[in-house]
Amino acid sequence: MLQDKKPRALITGITGQDGSYLAELLIEKGYEVHGIVRRTSILTRSRIDHLYHNSEIYNKTFFLHYGDLDDPNTIRRALIKSEPDEIYHLAGQSHVGLSFEMPELTCEQIAMGTLRILELIRDLPKATKFFHATSSEIYGTPQQFPQNEETPMLPVSPYGCAKAFATQMVRVYRKAFNLFAVNGIMFNHESPRRGENFVTKKISFAAAAIKLGIQKELHLGNLDAQRDWGYAKDYVIGMWLALQYKKPEDFVFATGELHSVKEMAQIAFEHLGLDWQEYVKQDQRLLRPADPEKLVGDSTKAKRLLNWQPSKNFKEIITEMVQADIENLQSYACK
């Protein structure tokens, strides 16, 4: 009797926070997982090293392919080799602040990179489901609170503009070419695997480093900036659920709660018995030219149709990040 064929998934941005968690989730669910990685001189890919070095899964149920969003031929080869049933598009320049310094690169990777993949999907011999991880930054200065799938896009950053373009192109290709193409509108989501250039990681790492005497103070921009912060593992579950739904729909993934940078710093430092006000300094140089206002999501649709729910609250997320950072720093000190 023939065994059922494993479903195949291709993930762009597999070395990132979301990509690594998604790879683990899909492998656990019995998928054959393929990931696209950029060819660089650095071979260490810390978030997926435990998968890469696992001989029981690497090149058996977990495969990596070199590719770049700027080079459609490399993406095409990865698609041909992997023959995916599902594509999760998570790659691209993902730092909002950096997009003001690198607007052309940001738009090239996010906007045109997404369009190139959509074009390639049109030519695939079999129907393939496509998930595009878009961002709450598409809303920018929203006219309604909270924001849902119908809220107009009014971005205020190059990153937000690029994501808005990509989001709209996914909708166009879904309607014009009948693709199973889904936008997951992801509000901010964090974890111990968050990149060091994001404010959540800057705060959790600094709290741990200051506690251990490695760092003296932390410089931040707008302490009053508010966001809807969730847990990354919950959001990758949402990605998978969105592609299992009976038809392609857009979904907002969010907690529906607003918290400030100041509140985050207070929780992080208090977890380690520190007074954040003694160490956190506001730095005007870190303020963004334009900052979105009150981005808070309404995930009613995802909860109703996908049975999706956030599992961790804001304080639990921040304390988990701080605890992971202090444990990592202590382990490095012992080596």
Side-chain angles (χ1 to χ4, degrees), residues 22 25-26 29 31 85-88 90 128-134 149 170 174 179-186 234-253 301-303 305-309:
L22 180 59
L25 175 71
L26 295 179
K29 289 185 175 296
Y31 279 66
D85 301 294
E86 300 172 0
I87 297 171
Y88 296 86
L90 317 182
T128 303
K129 295 181 178 181
F130 177 73
F131 178 91
H132 169 235
T134 186
E149 294 81 5
V170 168
R174 181 169 66 213
L179 296 185
F180 196 112
V182 169
N183 286 305
I185 305 169
M186 320 297 284
D234 294 336
Y235 288 55
V236 300
I237 291 172
M239 296 176 187
W240 178 75
L241 288 172
L243 289 195
Q244 311 318 305
Y245 191 59
K246 60 186 178 182
K247 60 179 180 175
E249 299 266 0
D250 293 344
F251 294 97
V252 164
F253 295 101
K301 182 179 178 181
K303 291 174 180 176
L305 298 183
L306 306 180
N307 198 28
W308 178 82
Q309 289 287 344

Short mmCIF file of all heavy atoms in Angstrom, two decimals, residues 22 25-26 29 31 85-88 90 128-134 149 170 174 179-186 234-253 301-303 305-309:
data_model
loop_
_atom_site.label_atom_id
_atom_site.label_comp_id
_atom_site.label_asym_id
_atom_site.label_seq_id
_atom_site.Cartn_x
_atom_site.Cartn_y
_atom_site.Cartn_z
N LEU A 22 7.84 28.85 11.63
CA LEU A 22 6.94 28.21 10.67
C LEU A 22 7.51 26.89 10.18
O LEU A 22 6.78 25.90 10.04
CB LEU A 22 6.69 29.15 9.48
CG LEU A 22 5.76 28.63 8.39
CD1 LEU A 22 4.38 28.30 8.94
CD2 LEU A 22 5.66 29.65 7.25
N LEU A 25 6.89 24.31 12.80
CA LEU A 25 5.47 23.96 12.85
C LEU A 25 5.10 23.00 11.71
O LEU A 25 4.43 21.98 11.94
CB LEU A 25 4.62 25.23 12.75
CG LEU A 25 3.11 25.02 12.67
CD1 LEU A 25 2.55 24.53 14.00
CD2 LEU A 25 2.40 26.31 12.24
N LEU A 26 5.55 23.32 10.49
CA LEU A 26 5.18 22.51 9.34
C LEU A 26 5.84 21.12 9.39
O LEU A 26 5.22 20.12 9.03
CB LEU A 26 5.56 23.23 8.05
CG LEU A 26 4.80 24.54 7.78
CD1 LEU A 26 5.28 25.18 6.49
CD2 LEU A 26 3.29 24.31 7.74
N LYS A 29 3.91 19.03 11.58
CA LYS A 29 2.65 18.64 10.98
C LYS A 29 2.82 17.65 9.82
O LYS A 29 1.86 17.32 9.12
CB LYS A 29 1.87 19.88 10.51
CG LYS A 29 1.33 20.71 11.66
CD LYS A 29 0.48 21.86 11.17
CE LYS A 29 -0.15 22.61 12.34
NZ LYS A 29 -1.11 21.77 13.13
N TYR A 31 4.95 17.98 7.06
CA TYR A 31 5.29 18.55 5.77
C TYR A 31 6.73 18.24 5.38
O TYR A 31 7.60 18.01 6.23
CB TYR A 31 5.16 20.08 5.81
CG TYR A 31 3.77 20.63 5.64
CD1 TYR A 31 2.79 20.41 6.61
CD2 TYR A 31 3.44 21.41 4.53
CE1 TYR A 31 1.52 20.95 6.48
CE2 TYR A 31 2.17 21.96 4.39
CZ TYR A 31 1.22 21.72 5.37
OH TYR A 31 -0.04 22.26 5.23
N ASP A 85 3.16 22.68 -2.58
CA ASP A 85 1.70 22.79 -2.51
C ASP A 85 1.32 24.13 -1.90
O ASP A 85 0.26 24.68 -2.19
CB ASP A 85 1.12 21.66 -1.66
CG ASP A 85 1.47 20.29 -2.20
OD1 ASP A 85 0.99 19.97 -3.30
OD2 ASP A 85 2.23 19.56 -1.53
N GLU A 86 2.20 24.63 -1.03
CA GLU A 86 1.97 25.90 -0.34
C GLU A 86 3.25 26.73 -0.36
O GLU A 86 4.34 26.19 -0.16
CB GLU A 86 1.54 25.66 1.11
CG GLU A 86 0.26 24.86 1.26
CD GLU A 86 -0.05 24.46 2.69
OE1 GLU A 86 0.74 24.82 3.61
OE2 GLU A 86 -1.07 23.79 2.92
N ILE A 87 3.10 28.03 -0.57
CA ILE A 87 4.22 28.96 -0.52
C ILE A 87 3.93 29.99 0.56
O ILE A 87 2.85 30.59 0.58
CB ILE A 87 4.44 29.67 -1.86
CG1 ILE A 87 4.80 28.67 -2.95
CG2 ILE A 87 5.54 30.74 -1.74
CD1 ILE A 87 4.81 29.28 -4.35
N TYR A 88 4.87 30.18 1.46
CA TYR A 88 4.76 31.19 2.50
C TYR A 88 5.82 32.25 2.23
O TYR A 88 7.03 31.99 2.37
CB TYR A 88 4.96 30.57 3.89
CG TYR A 88 3.89 29.57 4.26
CD1 TYR A 88 4.00 28.22 3.88
CD2 TYR A 88 2.77 29.96 4.99
CE1 TYR A 88 3.02 27.31 4.22
CE2 TYR A 88 1.78 29.03 5.33
CZ TYR A 88 1.92 27.71 4.94
OH TYR A 88 0.94 26.80 5.28
N LEU A 90 7.65 35.31 3.30
CA LEU A 90 7.96 36.09 4.49
C LEU A 90 9.18 36.97 4.32
O LEU A 90 9.51 37.76 5.21
CB LEU A 90 8.21 35.15 5.69
CG LEU A 90 7.25 33.96 5.88
CD1 LEU A 90 7.64 33.20 7.14
CD2 LEU A 90 5.81 34.43 5.97
N THR A 128 -1.03 26.12 -6.67
CA THR A 128 -0.23 26.29 -5.46
C THR A 128 -0.83 27.40 -4.61
O THR A 128 -1.11 28.49 -5.11
CB THR A 128 1.23 26.64 -5.81
OG1 THR A 128 1.77 25.62 -6.65
CG2 THR A 128 2.08 26.78 -4.56
N LYS A 129 -1.00 27.13 -3.35
CA LYS A 129 -1.52 28.15 -2.43
C LYS A 129 -0.40 29.10 -2.01
O LYS A 129 0.73 28.66 -1.76
CB LYS A 129 -2.14 27.49 -1.20
CG LYS A 129 -3.37 26.64 -1.50
CD LYS A 129 -3.94 26.04 -0.23
CE LYS A 129 -5.20 25.22 -0.50
NZ LYS A 129 -5.76 24.66 0.75
N PHE A 130 -0.74 30.39 -1.91
CA PHE A 130 0.27 31.41 -1.64
C PHE A 130 -0.15 32.26 -0.45
O PHE A 130 -1.26 32.82 -0.43
CB PHE A 130 0.45 32.30 -2.87
CG PHE A 130 1.41 33.45 -2.68
CD1 PHE A 130 2.78 33.22 -2.61
CD2 PHE A 130 0.95 34.76 -2.59
CE1 PHE A 130 3.67 34.29 -2.44
CE2 PHE A 130 1.82 35.82 -2.43
CZ PHE A 130 3.18 35.58 -2.36
N PHE A 131 0.73 32.35 0.56
CA PHE A 131 0.50 33.22 1.71
C PHE A 131 1.50 34.37 1.67
O PHE A 131 2.71 34.14 1.61
CB PHE A 131 0.65 32.45 3.03
CG PHE A 131 0.46 33.32 4.25
CD1 PHE A 131 -0.81 33.46 4.81
CD2 PHE A 131 1.52 34.00 4.82
CE1 PHE A 131 -1.00 34.28 5.92
CE2 PHE A 131 1.34 34.82 5.93
CZ PHE A 131 0.07 34.95 6.48
N HIS A 132 1.00 35.57 1.73
CA HIS A 132 1.85 36.76 1.77
C HIS A 132 1.74 37.40 3.16
O HIS A 132 0.66 37.79 3.59
CB HIS A 132 1.40 37.77 0.71
CG HIS A 132 2.04 39.11 0.84
ND1 HIS A 132 1.32 40.28 0.95
CD2 HIS A 132 3.35 39.47 0.89
CE1 HIS A 132 2.14 41.30 1.04
NE2 HIS A 132 3.38 40.85 1.02
N ALA A 133 2.87 37.50 3.85
CA ALA A 133 2.89 38.13 5.17
C ALA A 133 3.01 39.63 4.98
O ALA A 133 4.10 40.17 4.74
CB ALA A 133 4.07 37.60 5.99
N THR A 134 1.88 40.32 5.07
CA THR A 134 1.91 41.77 4.99
C THR A 134 1.89 42.34 6.42
O THR A 134 2.06 41.60 7.39
CB THR A 134 0.76 42.30 4.12
OG1 THR A 134 0.92 43.72 3.96
CG2 THR A 134 -0.60 41.99 4.69
N GLU A 149 -9.75 43.92 8.01
CA GLU A 149 -9.39 43.61 6.63
C GLU A 149 -9.92 44.64 5.64
O GLU A 149 -9.41 44.75 4.52
CB GLU A 149 -9.94 42.22 6.24
CG GLU A 149 -9.30 41.07 7.00
CD GLU A 149 -9.87 40.84 8.39
OE1 GLU A 149 -10.85 41.54 8.76
OE2 GLU A 149 -9.34 39.99 9.13
N VAL A 170 -1.50 41.07 -4.46
CA VAL A 170 -2.01 39.75 -4.09
C VAL A 170 -3.52 39.70 -4.35
O VAL A 170 -4.04 38.72 -4.90
CB VAL A 170 -1.70 39.42 -2.62
CG1 VAL A 170 -2.46 38.19 -2.15
CG2 VAL A 170 -0.20 39.20 -2.44
N ARG A 174 -5.37 37.34 -7.13
CA ARG A 174 -6.41 36.42 -6.64
C ARG A 174 -7.66 36.56 -7.50
O ARG A 174 -8.27 35.55 -7.88
CB ARG A 174 -6.72 36.74 -5.18
CG ARG A 174 -7.78 35.83 -4.57
CD ARG A 174 -7.83 36.01 -3.06
NE ARG A 174 -8.28 37.33 -2.65
CZ ARG A 174 -7.85 37.96 -1.56
NH1 ARG A 174 -6.94 37.42 -0.78
NH2 ARG A 174 -8.34 39.15 -1.24
N LEU A 179 -5.91 32.85 -8.41
CA LEU A 179 -4.91 32.21 -7.56
C LEU A 179 -5.44 32.08 -6.13
O LEU A 179 -6.20 32.93 -5.65
CB LEU A 179 -3.62 33.03 -7.52
CG LEU A 179 -2.84 33.22 -8.82
CD1 LEU A 179 -1.54 33.95 -8.53
CD2 LEU A 179 -2.57 31.89 -9.49
N PHE A 180 -5.03 31.01 -5.47
CA PHE A 180 -5.32 30.88 -4.04
C PHE A 180 -4.25 31.70 -3.32
O PHE A 180 -3.24 31.17 -2.84
CB PHE A 180 -5.28 29.42 -3.59
CG PHE A 180 -5.94 29.19 -2.25
CD1 PHE A 180 -7.12 28.45 -2.17
CD2 PHE A 180 -5.40 29.70 -1.09
CE1 PHE A 180 -7.74 28.23 -0.94
CE2 PHE A 180 -6.01 29.50 0.14
CZ PHE A 180 -7.19 28.76 0.21
N ALA A 181 -4.48 33.01 -3.28
CA ALA A 181 -3.49 33.94 -2.74
C ALA A 181 -4.09 34.68 -1.55
O ALA A 181 -5.17 35.27 -1.66
CB ALA A 181 -3.06 34.93 -3.82
N VAL A 182 -3.38 34.66 -0.43
CA VAL A 182 -3.89 35.16 0.84
C VAL A 182 -2.94 36.21 1.40
O VAL A 182 -1.72 36.04 1.39
CB VAL A 182 -4.02 34.00 1.85
CG1 VAL A 182 -4.30 34.52 3.25
CG2 VAL A 182 -5.10 33.03 1.40
N ASN A 183 -3.51 37.31 1.91
CA ASN A 183 -2.74 38.28 2.70
C ASN A 183 -2.99 38.02 4.17
O ASN A 183 -4.14 38.02 4.62
CB ASN A 183 -3.19 39.71 2.39
CG ASN A 183 -2.70 40.20 1.05
OD1 ASN A 183 -1.50 40.19 0.76
ND2 ASN A 183 -3.62 40.66 0.22
N GLY A 184 -1.93 37.79 4.91
CA GLY A 184 -2.03 37.78 6.37
C GLY A 184 -1.54 39.13 6.86
O GLY A 184 -0.35 39.44 6.73
N ILE A 185 -2.44 39.95 7.38
CA ILE A 185 -2.07 41.30 7.83
C ILE A 185 -1.58 41.15 9.27
O ILE A 185 -2.36 41.09 10.21
CB ILE A 185 -3.25 42.26 7.70
CG1 ILE A 185 -3.78 42.25 6.26
CG2 ILE A 185 -2.84 43.68 8.11
CD1 ILE A 185 -5.11 42.95 6.06
N MET A 186 -0.26 41.11 9.39
CA MET A 186 0.36 40.77 10.67
C MET A 186 0.68 42.03 11.47
O MET A 186 1.47 42.87 11.03
CB MET A 186 1.65 39.97 10.44
CG MET A 186 1.59 38.94 9.32
SD MET A 186 0.39 37.64 9.59
CE MET A 186 1.26 36.65 10.80
N ASP A 234 2.23 32.26 17.76
CA ASP A 234 0.79 32.30 17.48
C ASP A 234 0.53 32.74 16.04
O ASP A 234 -0.38 32.23 15.37
CB ASP A 234 0.09 33.28 18.41
CG ASP A 234 0.13 32.85 19.87
OD1 ASP A 234 0.26 31.64 20.12
OD2 ASP A 234 0.02 33.72 20.75
N TYR A 235 1.35 33.67 15.56
CA TYR A 235 1.10 34.25 14.25
C TYR A 235 1.47 33.29 13.11
O TYR A 235 0.82 33.30 12.07
CB TYR A 235 1.83 35.59 14.13
CG TYR A 235 1.16 36.67 14.97
CD1 TYR A 235 0.96 36.47 16.34
CD2 TYR A 235 0.72 37.85 14.42
CE1 TYR A 235 0.34 37.43 17.13
CE2 TYR A 235 0.09 38.82 15.20
CZ TYR A 235 -0.10 38.60 16.55
OH TYR A 235 -0.73 39.54 17.33
N VAL A 236 2.48 32.44 13.31
CA VAL A 236 2.79 31.46 12.26
C VAL A 236 1.72 30.37 12.21
O VAL A 236 1.45 29.82 11.14
CB VAL A 236 4.21 30.86 12.41
CG1 VAL A 236 5.26 31.94 12.36
CG2 VAL A 236 4.35 30.03 13.68
N ILE A 237 1.10 30.09 13.33
CA ILE A 237 -0.05 29.17 13.32
C ILE A 237 -1.16 29.78 12.47
O ILE A 237 -1.81 29.10 11.67
CB ILE A 237 -0.56 28.89 14.75
CG1 ILE A 237 0.47 28.06 15.52
CG2 ILE A 237 -1.92 28.18 14.73
CD1 ILE A 237 0.15 27.89 16.99
N GLY A 238 -1.35 31.09 12.60
CA GLY A 238 -2.34 31.79 11.78
C GLY A 238 -2.03 31.70 10.30
O GLY A 238 -2.95 31.54 9.47
N MET A 239 -0.76 31.78 9.94
CA MET A 239 -0.37 31.65 8.53
C MET A 239 -0.82 30.31 7.97
O MET A 239 -1.39 30.24 6.88
CB MET A 239 1.16 31.76 8.41
CG MET A 239 1.74 33.09 8.81
SD MET A 239 3.56 33.04 8.73
CE MET A 239 3.96 34.64 9.45
N TRP A 240 -0.52 29.25 8.73
CA TRP A 240 -0.89 27.91 8.27
C TRP A 240 -2.41 27.76 8.18
O TRP A 240 -2.94 27.25 7.19
CB TRP A 240 -0.31 26.86 9.21
CG TRP A 240 -0.69 25.46 8.83
CD1 TRP A 240 -0.19 24.72 7.79
CD2 TRP A 240 -1.69 24.64 9.45
NE1 TRP A 240 -0.80 23.49 7.74
CE2 TRP A 240 -1.73 23.42 8.74
CE3 TRP A 240 -2.55 24.82 10.54
CZ2 TRP A 240 -2.60 22.38 9.10
CZ3 TRP A 240 -3.42 23.80 10.90
CH2 TRP A 240 -3.43 22.59 10.17
N LEU A 241 -3.11 28.23 9.19
CA LEU A 241 -4.57 28.13 9.20
C LEU A 241 -5.19 28.85 8.01
O LEU A 241 -6.17 28.38 7.43
CB LEU A 241 -5.13 28.70 10.51
CG LEU A 241 -4.91 27.88 11.78
CD1 LEU A 241 -5.34 28.68 13.01
CD2 LEU A 241 -5.67 26.55 11.71
N ALA A 242 -4.61 29.99 7.64
CA ALA A 242 -5.15 30.78 6.53
C ALA A 242 -5.13 30.00 5.22
O ALA A 242 -6.03 30.13 4.40
CB ALA A 242 -4.39 32.09 6.39
N LEU A 243 -4.09 29.18 5.02
CA LEU A 243 -4.00 28.40 3.79
C LEU A 243 -4.80 27.11 3.85
O LEU A 243 -4.98 26.44 2.82
CB LEU A 243 -2.54 28.09 3.45
CG LEU A 243 -1.68 29.27 2.96
CD1 LEU A 243 -0.39 28.77 2.32
CD2 LEU A 243 -2.44 30.15 1.98
N GLN A 244 -5.29 26.74 5.01
CA GLN A 244 -6.13 25.55 5.12
C GLN A 244 -7.61 25.90 4.96
O GLN A 244 -8.45 25.00 4.84
CB GLN A 244 -5.92 24.85 6.48
CG GLN A 244 -4.47 24.61 6.88
CD GLN A 244 -3.59 24.13 5.74
OE1 GLN A 244 -3.89 23.12 5.09
NE2 GLN A 244 -2.50 24.84 5.50
N TYR A 245 -7.92 27.19 4.97
CA TYR A 245 -9.32 27.59 4.84
C TYR A 245 -9.82 27.25 3.44
O TYR A 245 -9.06 27.15 2.48
CB TYR A 245 -9.46 29.09 5.13
CG TYR A 245 -10.90 29.54 5.27
CD1 TYR A 245 -11.73 28.98 6.23
CD2 TYR A 245 -11.43 30.50 4.41
CE1 TYR A 245 -13.06 29.38 6.35
CE2 TYR A 245 -12.75 30.91 4.52
CZ TYR A 245 -13.56 30.34 5.50
OH TYR A 245 -14.88 30.73 5.60
N LYS A 246 -11.14 27.08 3.32
CA LYS A 246 -11.74 26.56 2.08
C LYS A 246 -11.57 27.48 0.88
O LYS A 246 -11.66 27.01 -0.27
CB LYS A 246 -13.23 26.28 2.32
CG LYS A 246 -14.02 27.51 2.72
CD LYS A 246 -15.45 27.15 3.08
CE LYS A 246 -16.26 28.36 3.54
NZ LYS A 246 -17.63 28.01 3.93
N LYS A 247 -11.33 28.76 1.09
CA LYS A 247 -11.13 29.68 -0.03
C LYS A 247 -10.16 30.78 0.38
O LYS A 247 -9.96 31.02 1.57
CB LYS A 247 -12.46 30.29 -0.48
CG LYS A 247 -13.19 31.07 0.60
CD LYS A 247 -14.49 31.66 0.05
CE LYS A 247 -15.22 32.46 1.13
NZ LYS A 247 -16.42 33.14 0.60
N PRO A 248 -9.53 31.44 -0.59
CA PRO A 248 -8.55 32.47 -0.25
C PRO A 248 -9.21 33.74 0.29
O PRO A 248 -10.06 34.33 -0.37
CB PRO A 248 -7.84 32.74 -1.58
CG PRO A 248 -8.84 32.36 -2.63
CD PRO A 248 -9.62 31.23 -2.05
N GLU A 249 -8.80 34.12 1.48
CA GLU A 249 -9.32 35.32 2.13
C GLU A 249 -8.14 36.05 2.78
O GLU A 249 -7.12 35.44 3.10
CB GLU A 249 -10.33 34.95 3.22
CG GLU A 249 -11.56 34.22 2.73
CD GLU A 249 -12.71 35.17 2.45
OE1 GLU A 249 -12.53 36.39 2.65
OE2 GLU A 249 -13.78 34.68 2.04
N ASP A 250 -8.30 37.35 3.02
CA ASP A 250 -7.32 38.09 3.80
C ASP A 250 -7.72 38.05 5.27
O ASP A 250 -8.92 38.10 5.60
CB ASP A 250 -7.25 39.54 3.33
CG ASP A 250 -6.69 39.66 1.91
OD1 ASP A 250 -6.08 38.68 1.43
OD2 ASP A 250 -6.85 40.73 1.29
N PHE A 251 -6.69 37.97 6.15
CA PHE A 251 -6.96 37.88 7.58
C PHE A 251 -6.04 38.81 8.36
O PHE A 251 -4.83 38.86 8.09
CB PHE A 251 -6.75 36.45 8.09
CG PHE A 251 -7.72 35.45 7.55
CD1 PHE A 251 -7.39 34.66 6.46
CD2 PHE A 251 -8.98 35.30 8.13
CE1 PHE A 251 -8.29 33.72 5.96
CE2 PHE A 251 -9.88 34.36 7.62
CZ PHE A 251 -9.54 33.58 6.54
N VAL A 252 -6.60 39.51 9.34
CA VAL A 252 -5.82 40.28 10.30
C VAL A 252 -5.45 39.37 11.46
O VAL A 252 -6.31 38.66 12.00
CB VAL A 252 -6.61 41.50 10.82
CG1 VAL A 252 -5.98 42.07 12.09
CG2 VAL A 252 -6.69 42.58 9.75
N PHE A 253 -4.17 39.40 11.85
CA PHE A 253 -3.71 38.68 13.04
C PHE A 253 -3.17 39.72 14.02
O PHE A 253 -2.20 40.41 13.74
CB PHE A 253 -2.64 37.65 12.67
CG PHE A 253 -3.16 36.56 11.79
CD1 PHE A 253 -2.92 36.57 10.43
CD2 PHE A 253 -3.93 35.53 12.32
CE1 PHE A 253 -3.41 35.57 9.61
CE2 PHE A 253 -4.43 34.52 11.51
CZ PHE A 253 -4.17 34.54 10.15
N LYS A 301 -12.31 38.20 12.36
CA LYS A 301 -12.50 37.31 11.22
C LYS A 301 -11.66 36.04 11.38
O LYS A 301 -12.15 34.92 11.15
CB LYS A 301 -12.14 38.02 9.93
CG LYS A 301 -12.35 37.19 8.68
CD LYS A 301 -12.00 38.00 7.43
CE LYS A 301 -12.16 37.17 6.17
NZ LYS A 301 -11.79 37.95 4.95
N ALA A 302 -10.38 36.19 11.77
CA ALA A 302 -9.51 35.03 11.96
C ALA A 302 -10.01 34.14 13.10
O ALA A 302 -9.95 32.91 13.02
CB ALA A 302 -8.08 35.48 12.23
N LYS A 303 -10.52 34.77 14.14
CA LYS A 303 -11.04 33.99 15.27
C LYS A 303 -12.30 33.22 14.87
O LYS A 303 -12.49 32.07 15.26
CB LYS A 303 -11.33 34.92 16.44
CG LYS A 303 -10.09 35.51 17.08
CD LYS A 303 -10.43 36.55 18.14
CE LYS A 303 -9.17 37.13 18.77
NZ LYS A 303 -9.47 38.21 19.74
N LEU A 305 -13.46 32.43 11.59
CA LEU A 305 -13.35 31.49 10.48
C LEU A 305 -12.22 30.46 10.65
O LEU A 305 -12.32 29.34 10.14
CB LEU A 305 -13.14 32.25 9.17
CG LEU A 305 -14.26 33.20 8.75
CD1 LEU A 305 -13.94 33.84 7.40
CD2 LEU A 305 -15.61 32.49 8.70
N LEU A 306 -11.15 30.85 11.35
CA LEU A 306 -9.99 29.96 11.49
C LEU A 306 -9.85 29.38 12.89
O LEU A 306 -8.99 28.53 13.12
CB LEU A 306 -8.71 30.72 11.13
CG LEU A 306 -8.65 31.43 9.77
CD1 LEU A 306 -7.31 32.13 9.60
CD2 LEU A 306 -8.90 30.45 8.64
N ASN A 307 -10.67 29.87 13.81
CA ASN A 307 -10.55 29.46 15.21
C ASN A 307 -9.16 29.79 15.76
O ASN A 307 -8.59 29.03 16.55
CB ASN A 307 -10.85 27.97 15.38
CG ASN A 307 -11.16 27.60 16.82
OD1 ASN A 307 -11.66 28.42 17.58
ND2 ASN A 307 -10.86 26.37 17.19
N TRP A 308 -8.64 30.93 15.34
CA TRP A 308 -7.31 31.38 15.78
C TRP A 308 -7.42 32.20 17.05
O TRP A 308 -8.35 33.00 17.19
CB TRP A 308 -6.66 32.21 14.67
CG TRP A 308 -5.31 32.75 15.05
CD1 TRP A 308 -4.12 32.09 14.99
CD2 TRP A 308 -5.01 34.07 15.55
NE1 TRP A 308 -3.09 32.90 15.42
CE2 TRP A 308 -3.61 34.12 15.77
CE3 TRP A 308 -5.78 35.20 15.83
CZ2 TRP A 308 -2.98 35.26 16.25
CZ3 TRP A 308 -5.16 36.34 16.32
CH2 TRP A 308 -3.77 36.36 16.53
N GLN A 309 -6.47 32.01 17.97
CA GLN A 309 -6.47 32.77 19.21
C GLN A 309 -5.04 33.06 19.65
O GLN A 309 -4.17 32.19 19.56
CB GLN A 309 -7.17 31.99 20.33
CG GLN A 309 -8.66 31.85 20.19
CD GLN A 309 -9.42 33.12 20.48
OE1 GLN A 309 -8.88 34.06 21.08
NE2 GLN A 309 -10.67 33.18 20.06
#
